[in-house]
Amino acid sequence: MIGIVVAATVVASVPSWWCGRDADRWYRGDPALVHGLAEELVAFEAADDQLRANGSHDVLTDMWGLLAHQMTALGLAQVCLSHPEWRDHYAPIATRAAAKSLLPDMRTTFTNAWHGDDGSADLSNPHAHAYLSYPALALGMARLVDPAFPHNLAVEDDALVASFERQLLASPTGLVETLPGEAYPTDVAAVAAAIAVQGRATGTDHTAVLTHWAQQLRATQIDPATGLVLQRMGPDGHAHDAPRASGTGLAAYFAGFADRSIAEQLATGLFHQERSLLGFSAIHEYGKGYDGAGDIDSGPVILGVSVSATAFAFAPARAFGNHSLFTRLYRTTDLLGLPLRSGPSLRFATGGAIGNALLLAFLTSGPELAQ
């Protein structure tokens, strides 16, 4: 009987111990781990540069390319904020990645959805095209850390933010469209983040628009029963989808750039979605009373658990001091992500460039938080 108990204890505890060996190091921002994953993204950007120079069709484009380059820029900029001694190395690469996120072939799906209307072509149009907040935020963060940030990109950043500010202040619901008739609170949080970071980089006061966004998010975009943001809404404030953890997790990360209290409120709702087993944790996509199969935003939903929401939760867990949750999430990521070291680089084998870019941004989250 004692042997069975000992065996059961070992089976229950050893895997979580093994998979959690690096969790505390990531939580503390261990320079060796941070440098390793950052170098993997440096290699990704260098390979992408070479492919583009050769006219290859193998480069990442459209939404996946946008996400990979944006998150690379955000992650490397956060690394620069935490490790100023590395700024000369990483800041120019953050700028290159941010510039790529603004390329027209990164938003083909969105341009097609708007019937050929490229949102950046005419920033005076009546639609904000909130998806442009992703490259705008990347530009702002690179601008914040790169002393040699190009003037033309600064002009582009200022123009995007001016358009967002005008559109957001004009919206009584604090919502602006990503797609025709569709507003995503997560994307609007990215709009607020882009505005806030541009303000930090230039010394511009955006208090009025950020206050309006925060008030309307609390009033119309958060489900009071679950604490999660509604995944999709009409610009009139009516829900088009359920409250979901994937949108909430990413919104909590973006909100951290603009309003710490909003980010913390969203994090609280997100943390209630934790599901644990034997020391491993993941994030359930739908709150109590809701159900669904998920979509491109949630990633695969397995037994109700969202792959995306689980990764997104790293950022608020680290930013708001939830060490135990961070550790349980990391055990799951280590088990399924297969971290591998090769020379100076560290990568998670199952996620590819996009997964590594996302994890760099979320595992190093914290220095970008609005005070």
Side-chain angles (χ1 to χ4, degrees):
M1 182 66 178
I2 294 175
I4 294 174
V5 172
V6 171
T9 301
V10 169
V11 169
S13 62
V14 169
S16 64
W17 167 79
W18 181 263
C19 293
R21 290 167 300 149
D22 285 339
D24 185 64
R25 295 175 63 198
W26 273 114
Y27 185 82
R28 291 183 289 104
D30 181 273
L33 293 178
V34 171
H35 182 265
L37 188 53
E39 285 300 306
E40 176 66 21
L41 274 304
V42 169
F44 160 67
E45 291 295 343
D48 183 82
D49 289 342
Q50 188 63 47
L51 289 171
R52 290 178 181 278
N54 294 337
S56 172
H57 295 292
D58 293 331
V59 294
L60 276 175
T61 58
D62 210 9
M63 289 189 290
W64 297 124
L66 170 59
L67 195 61
H69 293 299
Q70 184 225 16
M71 288 295 172
T72 295
L74 297 184
L76 292 177
Q78 289 167 189
V79 170
C80 290
L81 292 175
S82 292
H83 297 275
E85 69 276 15
W86 295 346
R87 183 171 301 198
D88 289 347
H89 177 46
Y90 289 132
I93 303 165
T95 295
R96 289 214 316 271
K100 290 178 195 175
S101 74
L102 192 61
L103 293 172
D105 63 5
M106 299 297 170
R107 52 182 182 270
T108 303
T109 293
F110 299 109
T111 300
N112 291 342
W114 283 96
H115 311 292
D117 179 13
D118 184 337
S120 68
D122 179 12
L123 294 177
S124 66
N125 69 56
H127 301 289
H129 295 261
Y131 59 87
L132 290 171
S133 60
Y134 286 71
L137 176 56
L139 290 172
M141 283 294 284
R143 185 178 187 178
L144 197 62
V145 300
D146 187 358
F149 192 78
H151 175 71
N152 65 304
L153 292 180
V155 170
E156 190 80 30
D157 183 33
D158 292 343
L160 286 167
V161 166
S163 175
F164 292 145
E165 187 164 29
R166 174 176 56 83
Q167 297 283 356
L168 200 50
L169 283 171
S171 169
T173 61
L175 291 163
V176 292
E177 294 168 294
T178 290
L179 302 174
E182 295 279 3
Y184 295 75
T186 301
D187 293 350
V188 183
V191 168
I195 293 171
V197 172
Q198 187 268 357
R200 288 171 65 182
T202 63
T204 305
D205 184 1
H206 294 300
T207 301
V209 66
L210 294 176
T211 299
H212 174 65
W213 161 74
Q215 289 173 340
Q216 294 308 312
L217 186 148
R218 285 193 169 107
T220 64
Q221 300 169 34
I222 299 176
D223 174 55
T226 63
L228 304 176
V229 294
L230 296 160
Q231 197 83 350
R232 292 183 298 119
M233 304 179 73
D236 58 2
H238 287 91
H240 290 180
D241 197 352
R244 288 165 50 186
S246 56
T248 304
L250 190 53
Y253 171 63
F254 288 143
F257 293 89
D259 188 313
R260 185 182 179 92
S261 66
I262 289 286
E264 193 163 12
Q265 180 177 350
L266 296 178
T268 299
L270 179 70
F271 296 163
H272 287 154
Q273 298 298 112
E274 181 190 7
R275 303 292 185 269
S276 296
L277 180 66
L278 300 177
F280 294 82
S281 281
I283 301 297
H284 200 274
E285 174 70 352
Y286 291 90
K288 185 176 181 180
Y290 300 93
D291 197 10
D295 55 20
I296 191 173
D297 296 322
S298 62
V301 174
I302 303 167
L303 299 177
V305 163
S306 163
V307 172
S308 296
T310 300
F312 298 160
F314 276 122
R318 185 170 190 265
F320 295 108
N322 198 328
H323 192 173
S324 59
L325 173 59
F326 185 96
T327 298
R328 293 189 295 272
L329 292 170
Y330 186 81
R331 289 170 181 153
T332 304
T333 301
D334 184 274
L335 178 67
L336 302 178
L338 301 178
L340 299 173
R341 289 173 175 81
S342 176
S345 295
L346 165 67
R347 64 187 175 91
F348 290 83
T350 61
I354 299 167
N356 285 306
L358 287 165
L359 285 173
L360 178 66
F362 301 143
L363 289 169
T364 62
S365 178
E368 80 288 346
L369 283 180
Q371 300 303 314

